[in-house]
Structure formats: C-alpha cells, structure tokens
Amino acid sequence: MTPSVRLQEMIRVIRSARTQGEERGIIQRECADIRSQFRQGDNGERSHSLAKLLYVHMLGYPAHFGQMECVRLIASPRYSEKRIGYLGAMMLLDEKQDASLLITNSIKNDLSHSSQYVQSLALCTLACMGSAEMCRDLAPEIERLLRASHSYIKKKATLCAVHIIRKVPELAELFTPSARTLLSEKNHGVLHGAVVLITELCERNPDTLVQFRKAVPELVQIMKGLVTSSYSPEHNVAGISDPFLQVRILRLLRILGHNNDTASDAMNDLLAQVATNTDSSKTAGSAVLYETVLTIMDINSESGLRVLAVNILGRFLLNNDRNIRYISMTSLQKIVQTDHNAVQRHRGTIVDCLKDQDTSVKRRALELSLALVSAVNIRSMMKELLIFLSVCPPELRSQTASGIFNAAERYSPSKRWHIDTILHVLTTAGGDVRDETVPNLIQLITTASELHCYTVHKLYRALIKDIAQQSLVQVACWCIGEYGDLLLKGECEEIEPVQVTEDDILDALETVLQSHMSSPATRGFALTATMKLSTRITDNVDRIRSIVSIYGSCIDLELQQRAVEYNALFKKYDHMRYRSAVLERMPVMDKNSPGHTNGDTSGEIKEPDTSKPKPVEVCDLLDLLGGTDTPLQPSPAPTSTPTTTSSADLLDLLGGLEIKPGEKFSLYRKIYMFGIITIKKKKKHLKIQCDKQTETEVTVTLIASNSTQNDITNFTLQAAVPKVCTHSVFKLGSVFAHTNSRYSFHLTILLYHPLQVSLKMRIRVAYSNQGAMHQDTVQIDSFPSAACQPSFSPL
C-alpha cells in the first residue's frame, strides 16, 4: 500500500489477507505510516490517519499511541477533525487514563459552542467516558443545557445528566427541578431521556419519590396518548407506538406506585387499558405487556387487575418463543405464593412445559409445578412429576426427587400412597436422592405398622429386580432384617403373595454383599439384616453364622467391626439369650428425633409433652467435685452416633444416650445400650468387684441385683471417673445373667489411669419402684483387691 491510501482501501486490503501473518504485516506497515503522519504535524491528513487507527483498534491491535492525537483533534476548530477526535477519545480513552483530563477544558468550551452539533459531540463524549472529576466540573454546564431550546441538545444533555448522577450521586439535587419540566416536551427522544433521568433520581434518592409522585397523572396521560395514538411511521415498531418509551414509563410508574395507594389508584385504569389493548403477537407488544404485568404485581393494584396480569402470563406460556415462556414462568414463580389460585388455572400449561426441549425452560417449569402442588391435586400432579422424573435430564433428577419427597411428606393422602411414591422415586432415581432419604423412609415404615407386610414384600421384589439403586437396596435390606418373618409367611392382602423361602432371602442378601455395585454402607445394611434374620428363621442359622464370619477379616473396617461383634453374639453370648434381645425389632422411631427430618426444613421446635412421664436419662454426668444427688434431667432423643458430653472433671460412661422405657436393644445404632431391665425378687444390692488391678489398670465389675418383693423397672446404672482418666477404655461384660430364676445386671469396666493418681469413681443408680422414681449415689475413693459391696437405702 502507498502511504496515502484511504480508509476504504485499507479495509479492503486487510480483509483480502489470506493468513493471520499477512494481516499482521499489513497492519504493522499501516501503523508505521500512521505514526509518520502524526509526526508531520498539521498536514490535513491527521483525521484520516486517526480514522484508520480506530479501525485497527477495532480489530484488537494496539492503538494507544493515538491518544494524544485525539486530544489535538478535539482542540481543532474544524468540525470534521473534532468529530474524529471525540470518536477516538470515546474509543481509546477512559476515566483511568491521564490523557482524559486534558480534554476537560475542550469539552467545556464546546458545550458553549454556537453549533448544536459541536455541543452534541461534547455531550456524547462526557456521557461515555467522563470521570467523577470531569462530572463535578461540568455538571453546571449540563444543567444549563437541560433548558436549551433545541430538543436535539436536550435529549443528549438528559442522558449526560444520568451519567453524572451515576458517577456522583450527590449531584442528583442539581437536576431534580429540571427533570420535572422535561415531561412537558413533545419530542419522544426528550421524553425518553426525562423518564430515564427521573427513574435514576428516584432509585438513587428515595426522598425524591414524594416530589415525583405528583407527576403520576402527567405520566398516565403520556402513556394513554401512546396507547391510543394513531399510526405514526416515525415511532411505530411492529404496530406498537414507541414501545421503548412505553416500557420506560411503565418501569417509572412501578417505582412511584410501590407501597403507595394514591399513586396506585391513579394508574389502575391505565394498566387495565394497556393490558387489554396491546397486541401480544409481536415481540414489541409482549415486551410492553410484560412490563405491565410487573407493574401490576408490584403496586397496590386491585385483585381483578392481578388476575388479569396472571392471565397474560398464562398466554405467554403458549407463545412459540422460549424466551417469552421462560420469563413468564419466572414471573409466575414470584407471585405463586400470593396469587396461588390464579396461577392454578394455568397448571396444565405449566405441566406441558416440562416436555420442552430447552433445559432452562424445564427447570423453571419444574420449580413452578412443585410450587403448585396442594392437597387437592397431589395425586394428579405427582403422576406428572413421576413421569417427568423418568425422562428428565440428569442435572434435574436430584431437584425433582427432593421436590417430590417434600410434596409427598406435606400432602400425602395416606401412608401407603406415601410409601409407594417414595419407592417409585428410589426405583427410578435412587442414586440422585439426598442422604437423609433412607432414614426418613425407614422412620415412615416403622410408623405404618399395618403396612409392614405389604412394604417388605414390595421391597423384596424391588431388590430381586435391581440392586443398582443403593438407597432402595439399603431400605430393602433394613425391612427384610426387621420384618423377614412376615416375608416368609407369604400372607399379604394388599399385594399378590409370593412364596419366599429362607434360602431365597439369604441369597438376595448375599448377592448384595458380594455385588461390586454395593457401597460400604449398603453392605453394612445387608450384613446387619442377615444377622437379624438369625432370630427370625430356624433352619439356616448356620449359614448366617458362616456369612457373618467371612466378613470378620474384611478390608472395610466398619464391615469388619460389625462382623466381629456379630460373631461374638453367636459365640460368647448366645447361651445367655443376649442375641435374641439385641436383635429384636426396632421400636417406632420418633419423627422429630435428630437425623429424621422427613423433608421438614421449617426448623419448628415443638414443646415437649409434659403430660407423659419422662424417661430416665443416662447422659447426666456425675460430678465428683460438685453436688451429689442432682435430679436427672431429660435430654434430646438418641442420635445415630454416640456423643461425649464433658463436665468439669468427668467422662460420661454411656456416651450421652437416652433409653426410653420399653425400648429394645438395637445393633443398627452401632452401640450397646443397656439399663432398662426388670430386676425381680427381694432386696436390692449393688456390688463393685475389683477383678484385676495393676499400677495403671483396674478392672471393675458392677453387679446390680434385686431381692425385694417388688419389681424394679427403668433401671439405670451410671459410673463416672475423674478427667485424668478420660482415655479409659470401657469393655462390656455380661449385660445380664439368668441364675436361679433371678436377674442381675453386670458391667465390666477396664480403667486406665496415670501413675501416682488416686482413682475415684462415683456410681449413680436410678430405678422405678411401684411407679415412683428413686436414685442413689455411691462414691468409691479406693479400689482394694477384694470385692467391696457398698449398699444403698431400701425404699
């Protein structure tokens, strides 16, 4: 290219470049020519060179060396050079560049220029890249131009004032008087700028709302003129008269009518007219109607008007444009809580949107469908949601399953329907449910005692069919372990009975244990279920013993621990009927106990029922240094894992567990619980026996017996040691023994304590005799080698 090539020729040559390297070469040569043109001074070609440099900048190449040339051209008296200079300043400069400060004086001079076109260049530049300092210096000039006689200047000055307010909010008061007078202009450009300016003033300074609410009638008249005006080619867009100005006015009315009855009443008729007469077949009409709906919902509008707004959103749901359907459902989601019945009328259309191909539309339709579920439509809505769950994208399965669980918990018509719904979800998307789903379903099953047979049969069939869904397999194993005897009977009225043998059940559980798809938690459920069946079947106990013994050397520590403990039940405690007591059915779980949320996230705390007798707690620590017979206080229900509660100097021996009257032993809690037994006959005795003692170890056996004529129930035995022994290891001996038709309570404790530290122990016994609660405390200050037998007072 020759040095004097024009802009059009340079663009043609750059576009014809075949490679990026060729393009870079052309631009480098042209930039070198532009630099030489800038160095030659005023030769009449500077504006053309800067225009070429701006095109180079648009392509992404460096053009910073043209900043000072922009400053020179802005100061030029010729309009053609000023135009290119201001354009370059808007593209190459910003408020962070020091060179931007050099044009402040030139802009101020041009704002007072006799030509309106030069003034407009200065206004556009200031509105585009004016810094806070420039805005403070030039704000009085802009306020003066708001009162200019030319609409062309007023329009640009108004938008420049908006920029100044955003940069320097404290200057808003300067433009407040002029903003109100601009509403009387007939030019749509000036009106548009005035509405934007007033909106900015109201959002930045709420104190101005009172002043501009007086202009609501004027805004209503302007809006009515736009709605009822005849065809105007200058402002018509797809049959709508200036939709841009209409949208701006509706937004301003929404701000002015918020929480104000007077302003809302003044615009109700207008909003009804706009909502009725605007054509929604075109995008411009839909935009105006959407802003109308938002305004109706945000002001204190009449109930009939709100129903009309919901119906407009319902029509949007039938639009072929997915964007319009999306914003419609977004708006319905915001108002579904306040106008639930009005939104319910469009439930069918909303559910149909679940079949849309766009994932964003599906997500909005899902959220809105879940919000529309009620006790009246729970069955029909759940049917649609379950169908959607089977075909929805993977990223929506978790949200869908959680929503179904919450809706079923809140509106379930019956327990059987509730169980069937959750099982359907687990069968379809068991890998996408939340962790608390399994304990929540187990709690639900335990409370539905009349459905135990139906549930265990249904879960067994699901387990045989598919073991890939881990949550479903865990619940199935739990139910088989608890209610396996009902499965063997084969008598179930609610479902077609299937003859199941003991080998069939054990084969199913063994398949779960050996499957590579089973997680460690699932194997734990299956192993525990197998162990529980040892007290519910009669012919395959040896097979169960064999299965359990295999996992005694499992690489998974949790599974290994379970297997070792279960083997101990078979070997060491089998003859004492301990295994039968430990493996009895779980009691009904408290719905509000920790770990069982059942989908209720409201955080509501219910007051305890004081009319019922409270159970004796075993988590109350005995203070060796404090008082003695402090009354036992109730604590929260037992959690799934033991917790250690500390006091000043003590360690709770039993880990903070509450044992309720009538509660059975359970291995599902992964801890031995003891204390609620009945000790019969004659007098009461508590015997503390030292079986073995070394310098740092003491083995103590606590033996409680009853020889009175009355029964002792709710028996609780607590032991505590000083804080220096917090690393003690406690071992369970025989929980209770049956000897000569009498029951006794045995607890063996292995204590570790530091050298030269005197070991002390405080023991508390609580029991119920003839309905009255009693407790006694004994403190042991030394542990002799012979057995000691402290006594406590009889009733």
Side-chain angles (χ1 to χ4, degrees):
M1 291 188 301
T2 61
S4 60
V5 67
R6 309 297 291 179
L7 174 62
Q8 294 84 351
E9 181 65 18
M10 185 191 74
I11 294 174
R12 186 188 64 79
V13 173
I14 292 176
R15 288 182 175 177
S16 64
R18 297 181 179 180
T19 63
Q20 188 176 7
E22 184 179 353
E23 178 185 294
R24 283 198 299 266
I26 295 173
I27 290 178
Q28 287 175 0
R29 290 193 299 270
E30 187 60 32
C31 287
D33 176 63
I34 292 173
R35 284 191 176 93
S36 65
Q37 293 288 338
F38 288 164
R39 286 194 294 267
Q40 291 178 9
D42 189 5
N43 56 2
E45 295 292 331
R46 290 188 306 171
S47 60
H48 297 291
S49 299
L50 183 60
K52 291 189 288 186
L53 182 62
L54 295 181
Y55 180 76
V56 171
H57 171 74
M58 291 170 60
L59 296 178
Y61 293 92
H64 57 277
F65 59 88
Q67 292 176 355
M68 293 306 300
E69 192 64 24
C70 294
V71 176
R72 296 190 187 97
L73 290 178
I74 289 174
S76 172
R78 288 185 288 219
Y79 176 77
S80 59
E81 293 184 349
K82 278 183 178 292
R83 183 178 60 177
I84 297 297
Y86 276 120
L87 178 61
M90 287 186 281
M91 294 180 63
L92 303 181
L93 297 177
D94 56 43
E95 59 182 73
K96 297 180 182 179
Q97 301 287 341
D98 294 337
S100 63
L101 300 177
L102 301 177
I103 64 174
T104 303
N105 191 55
S106 297
I107 293 177
K108 184 176 182 179
N109 293 333
D110 289 340
L111 289 175
S112 302
H113 200 277
S114 58
S115 173
Q116 62 177 348
Y117 300 108
V118 174
Q119 289 178 332
S120 68
L121 291 176
L123 288 171
C124 290
T125 304
L126 179 60
C128 179
M129 45 77 64
S131 63
E133 291 78 6
M134 294 174 63
C135 291
R136 289 190 180 92
D137 294 338
L138 301 176
E141 297 294 328
I142 304 302
E143 196 276 334
R144 177 181 59 82
L145 291 177
L146 287 176
R147 299 188 300 271
S149 58
H150 296 287
S151 300
Y152 183 74
I153 298 299
K154 283 184 180 180
K155 175 179 63 176
K156 295 184 179 295
T158 303
L159 297 179
C160 189
V162 173
H163 175 77
I164 293 176
I165 293 173
R166 290 172 180 172
K167 284 292 181 182
V168 190
E170 56 268 23
L171 294 177
E173 296 181 358
L174 179 64
F175 302 101
T176 301
S178 301
R180 174 69 184 276
T181 60
L182 292 174
L183 292 178
S184 59
E185 291 288 332
K186 300 299 181 182
N187 183 276
H188 283 209
V190 178
L191 283 175
H192 189 282
V195 172
V196 174
L197 177 59
I198 295 174
T199 302
E200 193 70 27
L201 289 170
C202 294
E203 290 178 345
R204 297 282 176 175
N205 185 11
D207 295 337
T208 60
L209 285 173
V210 178
Q211 179 178 349
F212 286 111
R213 279 187 177 128
K214 299 176 183 178
V216 169
E218 193 172 354
L219 291 169
V220 170
Q221 289 300 322
I222 296 174
M223 189 67 186
K224 282 185 177 181
L226 293 173
V227 175
T228 60
S229 65
S230 58
Y231 176 76
S232 174
E234 184 180 359
H235 305 117
N236 186 277
V237 178
I240 306 298
S241 178
D242 203 345
F244 304 101
L245 180 57
Q246 289 192 42
V247 167
R248 287 292 183 179
I249 293 176
L250 289 170
R251 290 181 182 175
L252 178 57
L253 291 176
R254 181 162 71 248
I255 296 174
L256 297 176
H258 183 68
N259 292 333
N260 187 273
D261 293 333
T262 303
S264 299
D265 292 340
M267 62 184 76
N268 276 334
D269 293 340
L270 168 68
L271 295 174
Q273 184 178 5
V274 175
T276 305
N277 298 333
T278 304
D279 182 15
S280 62
S281 60
K282 302 295 183 179
T283 303
S286 298
V288 174
L289 284 176
Y290 180 66
E291 289 296 332
T292 304
V293 169
L294 296 182
T295 303
I296 292 173
M297 292 302 175
D298 205 38
I299 67 174
N300 300 337
S301 57
E302 300 172 351
S303 59
L305 201 56
R306 298 179 70 89
V307 173
L308 177 60
V310 174
N311 292 337
I312 292 174
L313 295 176
R315 292 203 306 269
F316 283 172
L317 294 175
L318 302 174
N319 198 295
N320 294 327
D321 192 337
R322 289 175 178 170
N323 293 325
I324 295 179
R325 294 203 301 271
Y326 180 85
I327 63 173
S328 174
M329 286 185 287
T330 302
S331 302
L332 289 173
Q333 180 73 22
K334 297 177 181 178
I335 64 178
V336 67
Q337 301 300 330
T338 56
D339 298 272
H340 190 269
N341 293 332
V343 180
Q344 279 284 359
R345 298 190 184 99
H346 306 281
R347 186 175 70 242
T349 309
I350 295 169
V351 171
D352 288 339
C353 291
L354 292 172
K355 304 173 185 177
D356 197 280
Q357 298 298 321
D358 189 87
T359 304
S360 300
V361 175
K362 283 184 178 180
R363 188 184 301 276
R364 278 286 180 254
L366 173 62
E367 294 172 354
L368 191 53
S369 298
L370 292 173
L372 290 176
V373 177
S374 63
V376 178
N377 60 27
I378 179 66
R379 292 184 182 272
S380 59
M381 286 296 294
M382 201 58 63
K383 181 179 179 181
E384 297 291 342
L385 290 172
L386 291 175
I387 294 175
F388 174 72
L389 178 64
S390 61
V391 297
C392 71
E395 60 269 20
L396 295 181
R397 285 179 186 169
S398 178
Q399 181 181 358
T400 306
S402 299
I404 291 175
F405 289 154
N406 292 335
E409 171 67 23
R410 189 173 181 181
Y411 302 111
S412 61
S414 65
K415 288 186 177 181
R416 175 172 174 174
W417 181 92
H418 192 180
I419 293 174
D420 288 341
T421 301
I422 297 181
L423 292 183
H424 189 288
V425 175
L426 294 181
T427 304
T428 306
D432 299 295
V433 300
R434 298 178 297 181
D435 294 338
E436 63 266 24
T437 301
V438 172
N440 288 348
L441 179 55
I442 289 175
Q443 183 273 330
L444 175 63
I445 293 173
T446 59
T447 58
S449 57
E450 69 280 3
L451 297 175
H452 287 170
C453 183
Y454 167 78
T455 305
V456 72
H457 275 82
K458 191 163 186 176
L459 283 169
Y460 174 75
R461 295 182 182 185
L463 181 65
I464 296 299
K465 185 177 180 180
D466 182 21
I467 62 171
Q469 306 293 349
Q470 294 299 288
S471 300
L472 179 66
V473 174
Q474 291 174 8
V475 178
C477 291
W478 187 92
C479 282
I480 291 173
E482 292 295 321
Y483 315 117
D485 52 337
L486 301 178
L487 186 61
L488 291 172
K489 291 179 181 180
E491 300 175 358
C492 184
E493 298 178 358
E494 293 85 358
I495 195 172
E496 182 181 353
V498 177
Q499 190 61 38
V500 182
T501 63
E502 296 179 0
D503 289 328
D504 293 337
I505 299 177
L506 293 177
D507 288 342
L509 294 176
E510 202 165 1
T511 301
V512 175
L513 286 169
Q514 297 173 359
S515 174
H516 67 280
M517 295 184 292
S518 299
S519 64
T522 303
R523 288 192 175 96
F525 273 89
L527 185 63
T528 302
T530 305
M531 185 63 188
K532 283 235 172 184
L533 288 176
S534 64
T535 61
R536 291 153 176 76
I537 64 178
T538 56
D539 299 334
N540 287 275
V541 177
D542 291 337
R543 181 181 176 183
I544 294 176
R545 190 193 306 264
S546 175
I547 294 173
V548 172
S549 62
I550 292 174
Y551 293 91
S553 57
C554 179
I555 192 173
D556 183 78
L557 294 181
E558 171 68 19
L559 206 59
Q560 181 187 110
Q561 179 182 355
R562 288 175 182 259
V564 170
E565 293 173 351
Y566 298 162
N567 278 321
L569 292 179
F570 274 122
K571 296 176 181 178
K572 190 173 181 181
Y573 303 107
D574 200 30
H575 64 284
M576 293 181 292
R577 294 186 290 183
Y578 174 63
R579 179 164 58 89
S580 299
V582 170
L583 300 177
E584 286 186 0
R585 285 186 182 176
M586 288 283 289
V588 176
M589 298 181 185
D590 185 6
K591 178 178 179 179
N592 296 322
S593 62
H596 296 279
T597 61
N598 295 305
D600 184 8
T601 58
S602 61
E604 180 182 358
I605 301 177
K606 297 183 178 180
E607 295 295 331
D609 187 1
T610 57
S611 62
K612 298 180 180 179
K614 297 180 180 179
V616 178
E617 303 295 334
V618 298
C619 63
D620 184 24
L621 293 180
L622 308 179
D623 187 0
L624 285 173
L625 304 178
T628 55
D629 298 331
T630 305
L632 294 174
Q633 299 295 331
S635 68
T639 56
S640 58
T641 56
T643 58
T644 302
T645 309
S646 61
S647 83
D649 298 299
L650 298 173
L651 174 69
D652 185 3
L653 183 62
L654 302 182
L657 291 173
E658 172 191 350
I659 305 174
K660 298 182 178 181
E663 187 170 358
K664 304 300 182 181
F665 300 116
S666 172
L667 284 175
Y668 282 105
R669 303 194 180 184
K670 297 191 285 188
I671 187 170
Y672 295 104
M673 298 188 296
F674 27 77
I676 304 304
I677 59 175
T678 300
I679 304 178
K680 299 182 177 180
K681 308 294 182 184
K682 301 183 181 180
K683 298 181 180 179
K684 306 176 290 295
H685 295 281
L686 174 63
K687 183 178 181 181
I688 295 90
Q689 175 178 315
C690 293
D691 299 327
K692 181 180 179 181
Q693 184 172 2
T694 64
E695 293 182 350
T696 59
E697 295 182 7
V698 176
T699 303
V700 181
T701 300
L702 307 178
I703 305 173
S705 60
N706 174 32
S707 301
T708 65
Q709 296 298 325
N710 301 321
D711 292 346
I712 291 180
T713 58
N714 296 343
F715 178 77
T716 302
L717 178 61
Q718 295 174 300
V721 294
K723 191 174 183 179
V724 293
C725 300
T726 53
H727 294 287
S728 301
V729 179
F730 304 95
K731 291 186 178 180
L732 176 68
S734 58
V735 177
F736 57 85
H738 180 248
T739 306
N740 297 328
S741 300
R742 292 187 303 170
Y743 290 95
S744 59
F745 183 84
H746 291 231
L747 182 64
T748 301
I749 307 173
L750 177 59
L751 302 176
Y752 291 98
H753 61 96
L755 294 174
Q756 300 178 352
V757 174
S758 177
L759 178 62
K760 298 181 180 182
M761 177 181 288
R762 174 163 291 186
I763 300 170
R764 176 178 292 174
V765 178
Y767 55 91
S768 177
N769 191 349
Q770 296 181 344
M773 293 300 302
H774 302 271
Q775 75 175 28
D776 295 278
T777 303
V778 178
Q779 180 166 322
I780 310 300
D781 295 325
S782 62
F783 289 84
S785 58
C788 59
Q789 184 174 338
S791 61
F792 53 90
S793 60
L795 299 177

